[in-house]
Amino acid sequence: MSRTRSTAAFSFVLALSACSGTGSAAAPETTAPSVSIAAAVETAAAAITSEAIVADIEFLASDALRGRDTPSPGLEQAAEYLAGQFESMGLEPAGTSGYLQRFPYVSTTLVLEGLEVSFTGPAGGRRLELGRDYYVIPGQQAAEGAPVVWAGPALTPAPLTPAEAAGNVALFSTTGNPITGDGEALLGAFTAAAQSGAAAIGLVLDRTQTADSILNWASGIMGSGLATPMPVLGLSGEVARELLGPTGSDLEALADNGEVAVGLEGVTMTVKAPFTVGQHEPPNVVAIVRGSDPVLREEYIVYSAHFDHVGVGLPDASGDSIYNGADDDASGTAVIMAAARAFAALPVPPKRSVIFLAVSGEEKGLYGSKHFSENPTVPIEGIVMNINLDMVGRNHPDSIVAVGRQYTNLGTLSDQIVSEHPDLRFTIIEDPKPEERSFFRSDHLHFVNKDIPAIFFTTWDHEDYHKPSDEVADIDGEKASRVAKLVFYLGAKVAFDEADPEWAPGGLEEVRRLIAEQSPGGD
């Protein structure tokens, strides 16, 4: 699951960093066998096993694939594996080149060999350590032995003049995490620094930002593809106090001073965070079960999950630097593969067509799903619903979150399935933390942007999210198999024309309003 896509701040940084074929021919009409559709669906669902799901996760989350970064050789291996699995099931390819659909992606990569963040002050100085003392968004500019100016709170910075800040490092106080928190704070700091000609920004983190969170963000940003005109540091409060040292400047007092910029006498910093830019074409993987009804086969249900993760980053306390992403989102990918096997096992194809879409680039900003929604390999007007899965292999065994369930009838249909199949042992709940904007953090969003009813299933965040410790050993395969059965039943209900996906009264209007608020320039 993508973390930073949930914020206006991230959208702002992305904006700064910017300074069709079809599948094979339709299958012939198939005459339904004597077995009832209901019995066939039950038989196919019963064949979904935790062993097969865990086996898929084990391959995708193996160290050999090195975290499936977008782009990377490991990602290509994962795509080849998925395409091979779909082919072995007998699914038709539905990409632009066989099962693959490639999309353009411009990467920015921090150059560690040229990275330097250091300071000098009245009590001496030192070179700081990435992931312990700071995280950094790389930038085109650099500061070398530059004076430091305190510019107040990032949300309401003190007025800065070029005389005070040109070529210097501007420090701002922050509350909480400035990347995932209030986007206006990051915007305020960047605007003040840019207008005054500062060379770099330092965001002094408060006590809520621990050593673990700094390490997580340092690794996450390294693989995020972010870059800005000037480097942006997230600087630990302890380092800020060390930097100020015996100068007589009190950090708390400075943090409360939002009226006048203060030059820190005798304090200088060097901030160099260079990056390289590369052009790539990472893959989505697309397969289809072609519908059997002469009319409804032109309507499509899309299952989606992202098969990328964040690659290799800074080592954790155990020395592990491979972010395997077993739950995020090898689990969701394995579940849509399980659903694909179930559809492929049906003795008669469903009336509507069913697409299985494994996307990459999710961790970089939902790029793969965005490309598919804008360059679909089937007519976009034919896509009637999206079932998205992201992180479905952990946490409480008896519950699953259905993000966005209130906006369409897909939540009600899911409740019906749980009621009809008590063996699923699920309580389906709404987003428990709507303030974290999970509705904007996974690939269903780009289907919703096309007014397509969608539901996003997840078993929610956990302590290993975006860490090397997100390993296969912690996956609850039995729970994941029940998730696969749930979403298979949901897709089959629509695919066999037992129900039509619809927006709830006022649901589409509410979603459009939320998207407008989330977008840069929104209210």
Side-chain angles (χ1 to χ4, degrees):
M1 184 187 292
S2 164
R3 173 183 292 171
T4 49
R5 258 60 68 197
S6 63
T7 66
F10 189 87
S11 298
F12 168 69
V13 174
L14 282 177
L16 288 169
S17 67
C19 315
S20 90
T22 61
S24 58
E29 300 300 328
T30 305
T31 302
S34 58
V35 66
S36 74
I37 295 301
V41 168
E42 292 294 337
T43 300
I48 293 173
T49 68
S50 60
E51 291 79 9
I53 290 172
V54 171
D56 287 332
I57 296 173
E58 284 178 337
F59 179 86
L60 294 170
S62 65
D63 281 357
L65 269 62
R66 298 184 63 78
R68 311 183 308 280
D69 196 11
T70 301
S72 69
L75 185 77
E76 296 293 335
Q77 286 180 265
E80 182 179 351
Y81 174 81
L82 295 175
Q85 291 295 307
F86 287 137
E87 183 177 23
S88 71
M89 298 174 202
L91 273 62
E92 295 181 28
T96 52
S97 177
Y99 292 96
L100 301 187
Q101 178 198 42
R102 294 189 177 274
F103 59 92
Y105 174 69
V106 179
S107 69
T108 57
T109 304
L110 179 66
V111 180
L112 291 175
E113 293 79 6
L115 176 66
E116 180 182 354
V117 178
S118 60
F119 75 89
T120 60
R126 66 183 178 93
R127 186 165 181 156
L128 303 182
E129 182 180 336
L130 177 66
R132 186 187 71 178
D133 299 319
Y134 70 95
Y135 58 73
V136 63
I137 299 173
Q140 296 169 324
Q141 300 173 187
E144 187 161 7
V148 178
V149 59
W150 183 269
L155 184 60
T156 55
L160 284 176
T161 66
E164 295 168 320
N168 297 348
V169 178
L171 294 186
F172 301 84
S173 62
T174 60
T175 301
N177 192 314
I179 292 182
T180 60
D182 189 343
E184 294 299 318
L186 185 54
L187 177 61
F190 206 101
T191 301
Q195 289 178 345
S196 62
I201 294 171
L203 304 173
V204 177
L205 306 174
D206 67 16
R207 287 184 169 85
T208 67
Q209 302 306 295
T210 65
D212 278 348
S213 62
I214 291 174
L215 175 61
N216 291 344
W217 279 104
S219 291
I221 291 171
M222 283 175 63
S224 69
L226 289 178
T228 63
M230 69 183 77
V232 180
L233 298 173
L235 197 63
S236 77
E238 289 74 16
V239 167
R241 291 179 181 85
E242 182 183 349
L243 184 151
L244 295 173
T247 62
S249 299
D250 178 79
L251 181 59
E252 281 69 26
L254 284 171
D256 291 336
N257 175 23
E259 297 180 358
V260 180
V262 178
L264 303 183
E265 186 176 351
V267 179
T268 63
M269 289 190 73
T270 292
V271 181
K272 299 177 182 178
F275 61 91
T276 59
V277 177
Q279 304 279 344
H280 309 274
E281 290 190 331
N284 293 331
V285 186
V286 197
I288 189 170
V289 171
R290 190 73 61 178
S292 58
D293 185 271
V295 176
L296 291 178
R297 73 193 314 166
E298 302 304 324
E299 295 185 3
Y300 304 89
I301 296 160
V302 177
Y303 286 87
S304 62
H306 73 91
F307 70 98
D308 66 314
H309 194 53
V310 298
V312 179
L314 298 174
D316 62 10
S318 73
D320 189 359
S321 62
I322 299 177
Y323 290 63
N324 301 89
D327 195 27
D328 184 16
D329 183 31
S331 66
T333 305
V335 163
I336 71 166
M337 292 172 69
R341 291 188 184 99
F343 273 103
L346 290 168
V348 59
K351 294 182 179 181
R352 290 181 166 109
S353 298
V354 186
I355 290 173
F356 300 92
L357 172 65
V359 299
S360 64
E362 191 270 358
E363 298 289 0
K364 297 295 194 289
L366 311 182
Y367 285 113
S369 56
K370 184 175 189 292
H371 182 80
F372 182 86
S373 72
E374 294 178 351
N375 303 272
T377 57
V378 298
I380 190 69
E381 61 272 13
I383 299 176
V384 297
M385 68 178 284
N386 169 234
I387 300 171
N388 185 55
L389 296 116
D390 196 345
M391 297 178 65
V392 292
R394 297 278 296 267
N395 296 338
H396 305 291
D398 58 353
S399 66
I400 186 166
V401 179
V403 178
R405 56 162 294 144
Q406 68 272 36
Y407 302 127
T408 71
N409 68 338
L410 301 180
T412 301
L413 292 175
S414 299
D415 290 338
Q416 291 176 4
I417 289 166
V418 168
S419 177
E420 294 165 359
H421 298 86
D423 56 301
L424 293 176
R425 307 195 313 277
F426 275 135
T427 298
I428 302 177
I429 61 176
E430 291 186 14
D431 187 347
K433 297 180 180 179
E435 69 277 5
E436 294 189 3
R437 296 286 190 169
S438 293
F439 189 77
F440 300 92
R441 290 171 56 183
S442 196
D443 296 295
H444 63 288
L445 179 62
H446 288 301
F447 292 95
V448 172
N449 279 332
K450 300 295 185 181
D451 294 349
I452 296 168
I455 191 166
F456 164 29
F457 289 104
T458 179
T459 56
W460 207 245
D461 211 346
H462 47 71
E463 65 276 8
D464 299 313
Y465 171 66
H466 279 199
K467 293 181 180 179
S469 52
D470 182 5
E471 299 273 16
V472 179
D474 294 312
I475 292 293
D476 183 344
E478 193 274 337
K479 178 177 182 176
S481 70
R482 287 184 283 120
V483 175
K485 291 176 182 179
L486 168 62
V487 298
F488 169 63
Y489 284 134
L490 177 58
K493 186 177 284 290
V494 176
F496 281 104
D497 197 27
E498 297 175 19
D500 295 320
E502 298 174 346
W503 289 97
L508 181 56
E509 292 74 16
E510 176 67 9
V511 164
R512 287 172 174 169
R513 182 187 66 80
L514 291 171
I515 291 173
E517 290 180 355
Q518 185 71 14
S519 301
D523 295 335

